[in-house]
């Protein structure tokens, strides 16, 4: 039933009245009540080499006895499988659990769905333990499992950024399907320098850092990071819930080619309660950051539901964002080129999670940060914007060749936000600070509930071509 509702929501763009009646903050998902999905041996990836793992089996002996050159299916039968850490001779823990797979020619890790729980064993010092680690391997399938990072019983003094439920490096042909991932001590899934990756039909909840991190500086054993490229990444039909920072984070270091993010549901956050209001300004549904080393991010986002979660783009190019639902506040900042937003609905309103809403008071901000960067060739066509309590609906600053065409831009609350130190609200504001570089083509838009005398465009020493509705 939930899947049917999700599909219906992604197809229908919200009307203004529908936006006002949303109760998205009440959305919850209980994946632990799912029925067992029992493994069928005839469907094994490697039917000639299946190892049955019962609850309580000695995982250290089983994994230690594998031959990486042989393809193997590891079947974790129904039960709770506690995964211990490994101690070095000096007593320190390695950053890996015993489920550490290197140089494997092929490996399948499978269970009975929600009934097969792989849980990190309690350890007060295991800040950066990876529950499952894959490196220098190919032909990998991880599916039908419940992964429990057990973060509440790990490293009580400081969460570990590297404590991933799944970590993959320098590998190819990877399929992650039908998993439930809970309580990662760092990222639920961290992938770097790997090709041909599919993550689908899975549920991710409650992580100390990012749900899915794509990016890595490479092998820096010689002190110099080796930048790498990850090709052909597909993220589809997943549900993301309650990440402490990003749901999907394209981090510095890697380059990405051929990325598709399709039919995912980014649920409202409910677990993060900051002690410092300035500690929450890095929470986004998807963040593209600092990938200018290669200038080759190519992504397609289609039919995702964001529930007001935000997007940010920094140093990226060739991005198409089409037919997404309920996108939150959006920032496009520095070295961003060749983007298209088309057929999306935006639901932009301040929330308790975003401390910088009172600092960057724009629903959509397109801005070049300094004169050495290029932010240009960005189109917003045929979108619906529902914007609450922001001084400026869309602000274009120091950016070139920006097109805002045939959009419906609604100020949901006609009453001005009390803490704005100006009497002016802007549907679109165009500004220039670096040699009058800002330029925009604004045509055929409809503005609703913006003040009559500042309904459309405000310019400041900028090049602008405004035609159609509500140009002043």
């Amino acid at each position: 039933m939930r899947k049917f509702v999700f599909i219906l929501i992604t197809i229908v763009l919200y009307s203004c009245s529908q936006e006002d009646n949303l109760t998205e903050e009440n959305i919850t998902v209980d994946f632990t009540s799912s029925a067992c999905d029992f493994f069928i041996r005839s469907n094994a990836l490697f039917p000639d080499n299946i190892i049955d793992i019962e609850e309580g089996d000695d995982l250290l002996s089983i994994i230690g006895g594998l031959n990486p050159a042989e393809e193997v299916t590891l079947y974790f039968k129904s039960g709770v499988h506690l995964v211990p850490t490994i101690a070095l001779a000096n007593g320190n823990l390695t950053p890996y659990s015993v489920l550490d797979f290197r140089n494997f020619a092929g490996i399948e890790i499978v269970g009975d769905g929600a009934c097969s729980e792989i849980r990190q064993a309690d350890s007060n010092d295991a800040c950066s333990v990876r529950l499952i680690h894959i490196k220098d391997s190919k032909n990998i399938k991880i599916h039908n499992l419940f992964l429990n990072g057990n973060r509440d019983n790990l490293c009580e003094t400081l969460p570990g950024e590297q404590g991933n439920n799944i970590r993959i490096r320098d590998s190819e042909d990877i399929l992650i399907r039908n998993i439930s991932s809970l309580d990662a001590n760092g990222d639920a899934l961290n992938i770097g320098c790997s090709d041909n990756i599919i993550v689908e039909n899975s549920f991710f909840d409650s992580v100390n850092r990012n749900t899915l991190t794509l990016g890595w500086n490479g092998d820096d054993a010689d002190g110099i990071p080796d930048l790498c490229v990850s090709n052909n990444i597909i993220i589809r039909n997943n549900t993301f819930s309650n990440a402490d920072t990003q749901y999907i984070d394209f981090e510095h270091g890697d380059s990405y080619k051929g990325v598709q993010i399709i039919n995912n549901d980014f649920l409202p956050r409910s677990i993060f309660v900051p002690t410092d209001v300035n500690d929450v300004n890095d929470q986004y549904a998807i963040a593209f950051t600092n990938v200018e080393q290669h200038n080759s991010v190519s992504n397609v986002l289609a039919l995702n539901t964001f529930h007001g979660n935000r997007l940010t783009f920094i140093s990226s190019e060739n991005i198409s964002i089409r037919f997404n639902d309920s996108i939150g506040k959006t920032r496009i900042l520095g070295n961003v080129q060749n983007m298209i937003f088309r057929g999306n609905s935006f639901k932009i309103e301040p929330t308790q999670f975003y401390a910088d809403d009172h600092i960057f008071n724009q629903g959509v901000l397109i801005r070049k940060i300094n004169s050495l960067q290029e932010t240009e060739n960005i189109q917003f066509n045929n979108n619906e914007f529902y914007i609450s309590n922001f001084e400026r609906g869309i602000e274009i600053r120091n950016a070139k060749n920006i097109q805002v065409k045939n959009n419906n831009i609604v100020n949901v609350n006609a009453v001005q936000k009390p803490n704005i130190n100006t009497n002016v609200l802007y549907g679109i504001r165009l500004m220039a600070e670096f040699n009058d570089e800002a330029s925009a083509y604004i045509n055929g838009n409809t503005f609703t509930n913006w003040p009559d005398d500042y309904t459309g465009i405000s310019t400041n020493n900028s090049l602008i071509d405004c035609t159609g509705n509500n140009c002043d």
Side-chain angles (χ1 to χ4, degrees):
M1 181 65 180
R2 188 191 72 81
K3 185 173 181 181
F4 171 77
V5 173
F6 162 63
I7 294 173
L8 181 62
I9 290 174
T10 59
I11 294 176
V12 180
L13 293 176
Y14 289 127
S15 68
C16 185
S17 61
Q18 286 173 314
E19 287 289 324
D20 292 341
N21 294 325
L22 290 177
T23 58
E24 294 166 341
E25 67 275 6
N26 298 320
I27 295 175
T28 59
V29 177
D30 181 12
F31 69 89
T32 59
S33 63
S34 301
C36 296
D37 184 9
F38 288 106
F39 172 64
I40 300 174
R41 302 182 72 85
S42 60
N43 294 334
L45 187 60
F46 306 111
D48 295 331
N49 190 10
I50 301 176
I51 298 177
D52 293 337
I53 301 176
E54 303 277 358
E55 180 178 342
D57 281 353
D58 185 351
L59 294 179
L60 182 60
S61 297
I62 293 173
I63 305 304
L66 297 177
N67 179 0
E70 295 182 357
E71 299 170 333
V72 60
T73 291
L74 299 177
Y75 169 36
F76 287 82
K77 302 177 76 171
S78 294
V80 178
H81 302 269
L82 292 178
V83 180
T85 54
I86 305 172
L88 300 176
N90 61 7
N92 294 327
L93 294 171
T94 71
Y96 311 108
S97 72
V98 299
L99 300 181
D100 188 7
F101 305 95
R102 301 170 185 253
N103 300 298
F104 271 73
I107 182 170
E108 177 182 30
I109 306 173
V110 62
D112 293 328
C115 294
S116 293
E117 178 181 351
I118 298 179
R119 183 194 303 172
Q120 183 62 56
D122 294 356
S123 175
N124 290 336
D125 299 317
C127 300
S128 297
V129 170
R130 287 94 188 224
L131 185 57
I132 297 177
H133 181 247
I134 306 288
K135 182 174 174 57
D136 294 318
S137 298
K138 62 182 180 180
N139 197 11
I140 302 161
K141 186 177 182 180
I142 302 173
H143 64 119
N144 286 48
L145 290 167
F146 169 22
L147 304 182
N148 186 348
N150 194 24
R151 68 177 187 173
D152 290 340
N153 295 308
L154 298 178
C155 193
E156 297 176 351
T157 58
L158 182 66
E161 177 178 320
Q162 303 300 322
N164 316 134
N165 277 4
I166 301 176
R167 183 179 189 265
I168 298 173
R169 290 288 183 268
D170 299 300
S171 299
E172 61 183 344
D173 300 326
I174 302 163
L175 174 61
I176 297 173
R177 174 185 290 164
N178 296 332
I179 70 166
S180 296
S181 177
L182 178 71
D183 284 341
N185 202 41
D187 301 333
L189 176 57
N190 188 298
I191 299 172
C193 296
S194 298
D195 297 335
N196 305 327
I197 302 162
I198 298 176
V199 181
E200 64 181 7
N201 301 333
S202 295
F203 177 74
F204 300 92
D205 187 34
S206 187
V207 296
N208 264 348
R209 190 172 177 264
N210 303 323
T211 301
L212 171 56
T213 294
L214 296 167
W216 180 49
N217 279 333
D219 184 4
D220 59 356
D222 57 0
I224 302 176
D226 300 324
L227 301 179
C228 59
V229 178
S230 293
N231 298 287
N232 304 326
I233 300 171
I234 298 175
I235 304 165
R236 64 190 177 200
N237 302 325
N238 303 288
T239 298
F240 297 90
S241 178
N242 295 323
D244 194 15
T245 52
Q246 277 68 256
Y247 279 136
I248 299 177
D249 189 10
F250 290 77
E251 289 193 346
H252 58 82
D254 274 10
S255 176
Y256 316 95
K257 296 182 178 179
V259 179
Q260 300 181 49
I261 305 175
I262 301 173
N263 285 344
N264 299 284
D265 198 7
F266 298 86
L267 294 182
R269 307 165 197 269
S270 61
I271 64 167
F272 184 69
V273 180
T275 56
D276 179 356
V277 295
N278 294 313
D279 189 37
V280 294
N281 60 3
D282 63 344
Q283 287 189 313
Y284 299 93
I286 303 177
F288 298 80
T289 55
N290 299 327
V291 294
E292 69 274 9
Q293 290 92 340
H294 296 280
N295 283 327
S296 55
V297 181
S298 178
N299 303 282
V300 178
L301 288 77
L303 290 177
N304 295 290
T305 300
F306 286 102
H307 298 286
N309 285 291
R310 304 192 302 179
L311 302 180
T312 188
F313 304 87
I314 302 174
S315 298
S316 49
E317 65 175 9
N318 302 328
I319 297 176
S320 177
I321 302 177
R322 303 170 185 260
F323 307 108
N324 298 277
D325 195 22
S326 196
I327 298 174
K329 183 175 174 179
T330 299
R331 300 198 305 172
I332 302 170
L333 305 175
N335 275 353
V336 180
Q337 302 173 42
N338 305 326
M339 294 185 64
I340 298 176
F341 291 79
R342 178 173 295 155
N344 305 285
S345 73
F346 289 76
K347 181 189 177 187
I348 299 174
E349 58 185 359
T351 79
Q352 62 176 313
F353 300 109
Y354 305 138
D356 65 2
D357 280 341
H358 70 282
I359 301 172
F360 301 105
N361 204 355
Q362 309 91 356
V364 175
L365 175 60
I366 306 168
R367 181 181 183 185
K368 183 170 72 171
I369 302 301
N370 61 61
S371 59
L372 300 179
Q373 297 176 338
E374 294 295 340
T375 298
E376 60 185 357
N377 301 328
I378 299 169
Q379 300 179 20
F380 284 85
N381 298 334
N382 303 102
N383 302 283
E384 299 277 344
F385 294 88
Y386 300 96
I387 302 172
S388 299
N389 292 321
F390 281 90
E391 178 184 358
R392 300 178 284 280
I394 300 173
E395 179 163 305
I396 305 164
R397 184 183 299 181
N398 313 318
K400 296 180 180 179
N401 302 323
I402 310 302
Q403 182 182 97
V404 183
K405 183 178 180 181
N406 297 333
N407 302 282
N408 183 27
I409 306 172
V410 178
N411 181 11
V412 176
N413 297 83
V415 178
Q416 184 175 341
K417 189 176 179 182
N419 66 349
I420 298 174
N421 297 318
T422 177
N423 293 320
V424 178
L425 294 177
Y426 300 94
I428 297 178
R429 187 183 191 191
L430 181 66
M431 301 177 64
E433 295 177 359
F434 305 121
N435 301 317
D436 297 338
E437 291 182 353
S439 61
Y441 173 76
I442 299 170
N443 175 264
N445 301 284
T446 300
F447 297 86
T448 305
N449 286 342
W450 300 92
D452 291 339
D453 53 346
Y454 288 97
T455 301
I457 314 302
S458 172
T459 64
N460 177 14
N461 299 321
S462 306
L463 301 174
I464 185 167
D465 179 7
C466 179
T467 61
N469 297 335
N470 299 312
C471 291
D472 60 4

